[in-house]
Amino acid sequence: MTGVAHMDSKFQPQIIEEKVYKSWEKNGRLTSAKGKPFTILMPPPNANASLHAGHGMYTVEDIFIRYKRLRGYASLWIPGTDHAGFETQFVYEKHLAKQGKSRFDFSRQDLYDNIFKFVKENSGLIYGQFKRLGFLADWGRSVFTLDKHVLETVIATFKKMEKEGYIYKDEYIVNYCTHCGTSLSELETVHVERVDPLYYLKYGPFVLATVRPETKFGDTAVAVHPKDKRYKKWVGQEIEVVGLLGKFKIKVVADEMVDMKFGTGVVKITPAHDPNDFEAGKRHNLEIKRIINIDGRLNELTGPYAGLKVKQAREKVVEDLKKKGLIEKIDENYKHAVTVCYKCGRDLEPTIIPNWFIKVKDLKKPVIAAINKEKVKFFPKRFKKQILQWLEVMHDWPISRQIAWGIRIPVWYLLSGNENRIWLSFIDKKGEFKKGTVKELKNQGYTLTEIKTGLQQMTVHNYTKDPVRYVVSVEEPKEGEWIQETDTFDTWFSSGQWPLVTLKEDEYKTRFPTDVMGTLADILPFWVSRMIMFSLYIKKEIPFKLVYLWSKVVDAKGQKMSKSKGNVINPIDLVDRYGADAFRASLIFGTSPGSNIPLTEAKVIGMRNFTNKIWNIGRFIWMNRQNASLDSSPSAQNDKLAALKKEFKEEKKKYLKLMDGYHFSRALGLVYEFIWHRFADYYIEQLKDGVINGNIEARKSLESIYLENLKMLHPFIPFLTEAVWKVFEGETSSILKESL
RNA sequence: GGAUCCGUAGCUCAGUUGGCUAGAGCGUUGCAUUCACAUUGCAAAGGCCAGAGGUUCAAGUCCUCUCGGAUCCACCA
C-alpha cells in the first residue's frame, strides 16, 4: 500500500480546498497570459452584500473561465462591486429605523458618508466567499462603482449626452414612492391585482366612476369618447359641478382613451396624478393641477383636506361626498391592477417631479440592430425576443433618483433671480430640519453656506415652463451663486457603463468586445440592454458577444428563497459541510438555464458522493501505481481496454461539443455517467484483477483516461480535480497548466 | 390584450438538429460486504412523456387545438 498516505479513503474538501486555492493565488493561476484572450466581466454584486444562493450561479462564469483556460485561452475574469444606490440606501434606512431615526435627520452629505462607512464595513466579505467557491477571478483588479475613474467615466458620459441633446430635464409624471422618497423608472414598478371600491360620483350633469375620489381636486377636465352619442352635446362645453369645495366649472373633452363600455363612459382627467390623464392633458392642453405633495399628503389646494395622507383623504372625501349625496353608488368588488413599489410594496403615487431623462429613441436603434443581426447573442435563445420586445416599448428613461447614496448629478443651478422658486430642505446648525424657498430661508437669516452644508434635497418649481439656467459641471461655477442638483443617478446609469470602466485602456484593443456576460435573466432590461446601449454610444461597439442568462435559485419546492418564508439556504454552510465542488455541481447538474434552479441539501449530498467517487477512483489507480510489472497481460483484458478507449473517445467528442454549445449541465451529466457507471462500475471491475496483478498496460490506460476526465471535470469541480492532479503529477503541477 | 416558457417516475428535474428497450438525483424494496469507495456495488418496483388531433417510415421532441401552471410586456377611470 505504498503512496496511500497521499490519499485518504475519503475526499475531505475541508482539508484540501483552502490549500488548493492558495496555490492558485501564489502561483499566479488566477490569470493567464498565454493564448487568445477570453474575457468576462463579473456582474458586480452589491458592495455590502454577503453571499446568497443566487450568487452561486456565478459558477457558470467560472466554468467558462476554466474551460477556456484548458482550451488554451488567456481567460480573464474581472470582478467588482456596485454601490447599488437605492437598494443600499433602502437597507441602510431600515437600519436607521431600528435606531428610531430616518434620513430626514441627516444632511445628504452626512447620510452619504454614513452609508459609505456602512458599506465599507460590510464590503469585501463577498470576495472571500467567492474564493471559497473557487472562482478564478483576478481579484486585484476589482472595480467599485464609486471608484474615481468610474465617476469620471460616468460623468463624462452624462456630459457628452447632455451636449449632444440626449439629456433633458422635464416636469414629467413619474412613479413616486412616498415611503422610499424617490421616483422610480417603469421597470421598478410592480403591478398587483387588487379589489378596491369603485365610486360612482355625481359630477354636474354626469356620473363618473373612479377609484381615486381624493384626486378630484386636481381634475382639470372631464373626458368622453368622441363617438359616444350620449355625451356628444357636451363636448367642448364647460359644465358646472357642485363639489366639496363648492361650485366649479370644468371643460368636457373628447378623447379616444375613454372606454365607452366602462363605468358610465365618463372619465375625470387629473393630469398631475395619473399617467394617462397626463398624456390626455398634453393632447388637450389642460392645466396641470398638483394637489398631492411628494410626502404623500394633500396640499393647500384641497382646503380642509390639506395635510391628510392619501388614504385618509380618500376616506374623508368619500364620507363627505356621501353626506352631500354626491355618490350614486359604490361597486365594492372592482378588481383592478395597482402599481406598487418593487422595493417596499406600497402604492406608488404618480406625480409631477422635475426629472432628468435620457431620450432613448435614437440610442436604442443601434441596440435593436445589433441584437437583430446577432452581433450580441442570447442563451437561451428565447431571451432575444424578450429583450427586443422590451426595447420596442422602451420610453425615455428617468435617471434621477431623490436619494443621497449614489453619484450626484453634476449640474449646478443659478440661484440669482430664481431664489423664490428653488425650494429646498436642510438641517441647520442647531440640527433642526428646515424647508422652504431659498428666498424664504435667506429672509429667516440663513446663509447660503449654512444651507449648503446641511442640504438635503432641492427642487426647482415650475421648471418646464421657465427653465432655470444650469451648468453641467462637477465643480461649482466661479461667478455668481449656484446650487448643485441633489438628485443622484439611477444606479443602472452607472452600472450600465460597467463594460466601459472595467478594462484597461489597451485592453479595449484586445479584449473588447468581451466574450460572455452571464447574469440573472431578471435584469435583462435593467442592465443588459443598457450596457449594450452605452457601449454602442461611447465605444461604437457591442460590449459582449454572448449573454448567458440563468434563473433564480429556489428551494426544494420551487419557492423563491426569502427571509420571511424562512427557506433561505446559506451556501457557505453547504460548502463547509460538503465542499465547494459539491455545491457548485449541484447548481449545474440536471438543471437548465431557462428555468429556476432548485437547491437542496439532498442534491448537494448526491454531488458530494460523486466527488468522493472520483477521489476513490483516483485512489485505486494510485494505490496500484507502484505494483511491479509481472509482465502478464491476458488478451481478454486487452479487448476491454480497446472498448474503453473507444468509449472514451466518443465521450470526449460529445463533451467538447456540449461545452462549446454552453450545455454545461449535459456535459457534466455525460462525464458523471461515463466516469461512474462506465469507467468505474464496468471497466475497473473488469480490469481490476489484472491491474492488481501488475498489468501495466491496463493500469496506464486507466490512468490516462482518468486524468483526461479530471480535466473535463475541472471547470465544474475545480478543487478535487486539482488536488488529485497534484497527487499524480506532483505538488508543483497544476491542472490549470494542462490543456484539453 | 401582446409575447414566452412549462406540464416526463413518489419528489425535484434532464432529455442537442424527430431515430434503438424514455433518463438522473433524492426517496422506496431486496441482495452483497474484511474489495479504491457503505459518501459502495448488484438488482427491482415505479411513466398511455397533461389530453385530443395532425405531419412522418419514425413524435417526449415538429404543427393545431383543449385543459392546467408560471413569467415578461402593455392596459385597466
Side-chain angles (χ1 to χ4, degrees), chain A residues 2-183:
Chain A
T2 38
V4 181
H6 288 81
M7 295 188 87
D8 297 327
S9 68
K10 285 186 174 71
F11 170 52
Q12 291 177 282
Q14 296 79 1
I15 296 172
I16 280 163
E17 285 177 357
E18 199 186 339
K19 256 196 249 169
V20 166
Y21 201 91
K22 283 205 170 128
S23 81
W24 290 331
E25 283 184 310
K26 207 176 79 194
N27 298 306
R29 306 253 180 269
L30 301 182
T31 60
S32 166
K34 270 195 302 188
K36 284 202 300 186
F38 178 86
T39 315
I40 299 182
L41 308 176
M42 186 184 287
N46 292 0
N48 63 318
S50 72
L51 194 78
H52 58 70
H55 292 123
M57 293 313 293
Y58 280 43
T59 296
V60 168
E61 296 193 346
D62 196 48
I63 290 169
F64 269 109
I65 290 290
R66 289 176 185 273
Y67 175 67
K68 288 292 177 177
R69 180 75 57 82
L70 291 171
R71 297 285 284 165
Y73 286 79
S75 60
L76 173 67
W77 194 11
I78 304 177
T81 52
D82 189 16
H83 68 278
F86 177 41
E87 291 279 332
T88 302
Q89 181 160 332
F90 187 83
V91 171
Y92 185 74
E93 283 192 41
K94 277 211 281 195
H95 182 75
L96 277 184
K98 277 183 202 156
Q99 304 162 17
K101 288 182 184 165
S102 86
R103 73 195 130 104
F104 297 110
D105 298 322
F106 304 93
S107 71
R108 72 183 307 294
Q109 191 58 50
D110 286 344
L111 190 59
Y112 182 97
D113 293 344
N114 291 345
I115 298 176
F116 196 92
K117 257 183 245 156
F118 175 77
V119 167
K120 273 279 162 225
E121 277 163 21
N122 293 289
S123 76
L125 195 64
I126 200 162
Y127 283 171
Q129 294 170 319
F130 279 163
K131 288 181 189 178
R132 294 228 35 210
L133 295 183
F135 295 168
L136 207 63
D138 193 354
W139 306 109
R141 293 192 55 175
S142 174
V143 175
F144 176 44
T145 56
L146 291 178
D147 283 347
K148 190 165 166 273
H149 79 279
V150 177
L151 297 181
E152 284 166 3
T153 302
V154 169
I155 284 166
T157 301
F158 179 77
K159 279 185 180 167
K160 179 173 154 77
M161 291 184 124
E162 200 272 340
K163 207 172 152 194
E164 294 176 4
Y166 290 108
I167 299 275
Y168 65 96
K169 185 175 182 169
D170 196 8
E171 284 173 307
Y172 195 84
I173 192 145
V174 290
N175 297 294
Y176 191 88
C177 179
T178 54
H179 177 258
C180 297
T182 186
S183 56

Side-chain angles (χ1 to χ4, degrees), chain A residues 214 216-218 244-245 273 287-309 313 423 435 437 440 461:
Chain A
E214 77 283 5
K216 73 194 299 287
F217 308 110
L244 294 173
L245 306 178
H273 298 292
E287 186 197 342
I288 295 170
K289 195 172 160 195
R290 201 176 138 180
I291 57 125
I292 302 169
N293 287 342
I294 60 168
D295 58 3
R297 293 174 192 275
L298 273 61
N299 67 18
E300 63 285 353
L301 297 176
T302 66
Y305 306 97
L308 291 180
K309 282 195 169 179
W423 179 96
K435 60 181 177 182
T437 63
E440 286 164 0
H461 283 145

Side-chain angles (χ1 to χ4, degrees), chain A residues 374-434:
Chain A
E374 307 236 321
K375 287 174 85 182
V376 182
K377 286 191 185 133
F378 292 85
F379 182 85
K381 282 195 181 120
R382 64 189 160 89
F383 286 108
K384 176 183 167 182
K385 259 193 180 171
Q386 202 167 304
I387 193 168
L388 282 173
Q389 180 189 305
W390 185 78
L391 282 162
E392 294 295 340
V393 299
M394 182 184 190
H395 297 128
D396 283 0
W397 173 16
I399 52 168
S400 16
R401 294 291 177 275
Q402 291 72 40
I403 56 175
W405 180 240
I407 302 174
R408 193 167 177 182
I409 296 177
V411 165
W412 293 80
Y413 300 97
L414 183 66
L415 272 176
S416 49
N418 299 311
E419 291 192 345
N420 54 346
R421 42 194 290 248
I422 292 182
W423 179 96
L424 52 79
S425 58
F426 78 109
I427 305 286
D428 71 10
K429 271 186 211 155
K430 289 176 227 148
E432 278 172 33
F433 176 86
K434 299 282 169 192

Side-chain angles (χ1 to χ4, degrees), chain A residues 141 185 277 344 346 411 599 606 699:
Chain A
R141 293 192 55 175
S185 75
D277 293 3
C344 72
R346 290 175 176 83
V411 165
L599 172 63
R699 205 223 74 233

Side-chain angles (χ1 to χ4, degrees), chain A residues 200-216:
Chain A
Y200 284 76
L201 310 184
K202 289 183 185 164
Y203 215 88
F206 305 135
V207 171
L208 54 78
T210 181
V211 284
R212 300 205 56 187
E214 77 283 5
T215 63
K216 73 194 299 287

